[in-house]
Amino acid sequence: MGTTNRTHLKDYSEAINAKTGLLMKVHCSNYAVSGFTKEATLAELAPLGKEHGLPVAVDL
């Protein structure tokens, strides 16, 4: 799913299955990401979580 520096909403969506209990976005406070980067935003994740009845957590 995704790569170290690119995570798309599609990566979260495709990973959801019957065992999924939470969508989580983790802040990269312990490392720096450079180059071509992409991350799914909370604004994107919230509707996805709602659609699947899953809570969304964000580690700030």
Side-chain angles (χ1 to χ4, degrees), residues 24-36:
M24 184 167 187
K25 177 178 172 64
V26 179
H27 185 268
C28 58
S29 61
N30 294 325
Y31 57 92
V33 179
S34 62
F36 298 104

Side-chain angles (χ1 to χ4, degrees), residues 13-44:
S13 182
E14 290 179 350
I16 295 172
N17 62 41
K19 294 182 178 184
T20 304
L22 172 79
L23 299 181
M24 184 167 187
K25 177 178 172 64
V26 179
H27 185 268
C28 58
S29 61
N30 294 325
Y31 57 92
V33 179
S34 62
F36 298 104
T37 64
K38 169 71 174 130
E39 63 181 65
T41 66
L42 178 57
E44 294 173 315

Side-chain angles (χ1 to χ4, degrees), residues 3-20:
T3 62
T4 302
N5 59 346
R6 294 183 188 167
T7 306
H8 302 271
L9 184 64
K10 180 179 175 184
D11 297 315
Y12 284 89
S13 182
E14 290 179 350
I16 295 172
N17 62 41
K19 294 182 178 184
T20 304

